[in-house]
Amino acid sequence: MAMSAAAGPFPSWALLEPFVFRRDDKDSFPDESKAPIRASATTSWGADFRVAFSLVAPPRISRLYAQMPGFPDPDDEAPLAMLATHRHLALLEVSTETPSGALVQNLFILRANEKNPSSSLLKLLPTCTEPEIDYSRGGDSLRPRHKPSNDTPRRPRLLDMISLGLWCGGGDNQEELVMAELTVCAPTLDRHRTKAFADICLLRSSFTGDQLAGKWGSMRMPILSTDKDDLWKLYCWQTNATIPFQRWLCWIDYQQGILFCDVSNKVPTISFLWFPLDKSPLVTNTRTATVTCSIFYGGVCVVDRGRLLKFVNVARDDGLAYEALKPDTGFTITCHALVFGDGSMEWKEDYTMTSDELRGQLTRDGVPMFPRVDMDRPHVVHFLYIEFGRAYEKMWVLSIDMSTKTVESFYLYMDVNKFLQLDDNARLQIDDADFITSTCMSPTPTPFLPCEFPRFCHLSRKRKDME
């Protein structure tokens, strides 16, 4: 059964469940003692909603609750999504479908209130009206498919949630923020193709009191690349995640590498870095496979209060994706840290361990997936540990101290099989029935979202207690 978040003091950071728990009636929506960070807002079409965060220290999983009584039934539509976080800010999307079938998208910034977390700010961002880009045309310039005249109202542009990132700059009291969507544009493969570009749709904004200012804009920037292998990787690019790190927004393709976009400058610069993956073939008793990374087995994490970037990869000996390990095969977990030189950056391996070293420490046979490095303890990695072999997979949360190669904690997170054994009436009595049902219907799980904004409320409460 699912492990629910429990009430307690603010952790310094949290692992957030990506599923949004709709609790539209007053009795089921958690109160302030259970979900202390709270905010409310109104969409552009006049619908009111509330959100609340129930926070627990990792490896336990935190939750986002939503009260949206005027929205369609949650079985028909999932109107709220948590997209990104950075420092004391979070980016949320609220969407709905009009009677004509058109999708309306609202983006909101949540700013955690240090002094009064239950009254945190949730502000609607300006609508993006940048014209769609004609990607059939290469070159340095960014050409819209249909450029409206000055007297023609611009239509709202739908932004890609996967490719949308959030960045907050400056110190604790600095309110500069950037939202950006990036799309890689690599011209057709031929002998004339010498560089690739990134098409960026960007909003640079700041808070003036409780109000947001700013305007969306578009630009095409060259991606700084060194050889043809880089260009080939960019030609195959598919964004899996977006995270902020120091002065960069980082777009990640777990089969290729990272695009570092320096958003601290008014004119961003973009560079590309490969992942440190072993390309030599592995010969198993069933097949020859190549060690690669994927969204299931890779994790790029910002730790040490934003000062360090780490990459964790689980390499399966059998080369398979989402299924049980082949007999007599295992896996290897490697951790790398990003180190900076004289104008350069490169990966340095700091930890590695194999499945053989885990034997005897786990009571279940499974595969560790979706690694997340502990923000406060960079030598600890949290995984979603999948046990295959039944109608629906069992999911555990596994925490490994990579420095000592020991299991620090291991607890059952989800068992859909147990839920399905109950009769319909018993299922309805379970608070997490919607969550378990959604997990049952999903073909694969999704990774937890690390968020740091509880730290700011935690520090505020600590200061208050010391006064």
Side-chain angles (χ1 to χ4, degrees), residues 217-237:
S218 296
M219 63 190 76
R220 169 166 287 184
M221 303 299 299
I223 299 174
L224 305 179
S225 183
T226 57
D227 54 40
K228 292 182 179 180
D229 287 338
D230 287 355
L231 293 174
W232 170 253
K233 284 181 174 291
L234 293 171
Y235 180 77
C236 302
W237 185 270

Side-chain angles (χ1 to χ4, degrees), residues 6-8 10 29-39 51-55 63-65 117-118:
F10 280 136
F29 192 72
D31 60 25
E32 186 178 341
S33 65
K34 296 180 179 178
I37 298 182
R38 309 163 75 84
V51 296
F53 293 86
S54 178
L55 302 172
R63 293 181 170 186
L64 169 60
Y65 290 91
S118 63

Side-chain angles (χ1 to χ4, degrees), residues 114-186:
E114 292 185 2
K115 297 180 179 179
N116 188 7
S118 63
S119 298
S120 294
L121 187 67
L122 190 58
K123 297 298 294 184
L124 177 64
L125 289 170
T127 301
C128 179
T129 57
E130 289 296 296
E132 297 291 339
I133 304 304
D134 186 355
Y135 293 108
S136 65
R137 306 176 71 176
D140 295 3
S141 60
L142 189 64
R143 300 182 177 93
R145 189 175 298 276
H146 300 289
K147 188 174 182 179
S149 61
N150 293 333
D151 56 350
T152 303
R154 289 188 171 186
R155 296 181 179 180
R157 171 174 169 175
L158 295 179
L159 298 169
D160 180 11
M161 292 190 297
I162 298 296
S163 298
L164 193 62
L166 169 68
W167 179 87
C168 175
D172 289 353
N173 298 320
Q174 183 71 28
E175 295 291 348
E176 180 187 9
L177 58 140
V178 171
M179 277 70 59
E181 177 199 54
L182 181 145
T183 304
V184 174
C185 178

Side-chain angles (χ1 to χ4, degrees), residues 3 13 22 53 70 91 103 131 139 184 207 218 233 290 308 312 378 390 411 423 455:
M3 297 293 295
W13 72 287
R22 282 278 297 272
F53 293 86
L91 177 63
L103 185 65
V184 174
F207 277 102
S218 296
K233 284 181 174 291
T290 301
L308 180 64
V312 181
R390 303 182 66 183
Y411 75 88
D423 59 42
R455 185 190 305 276

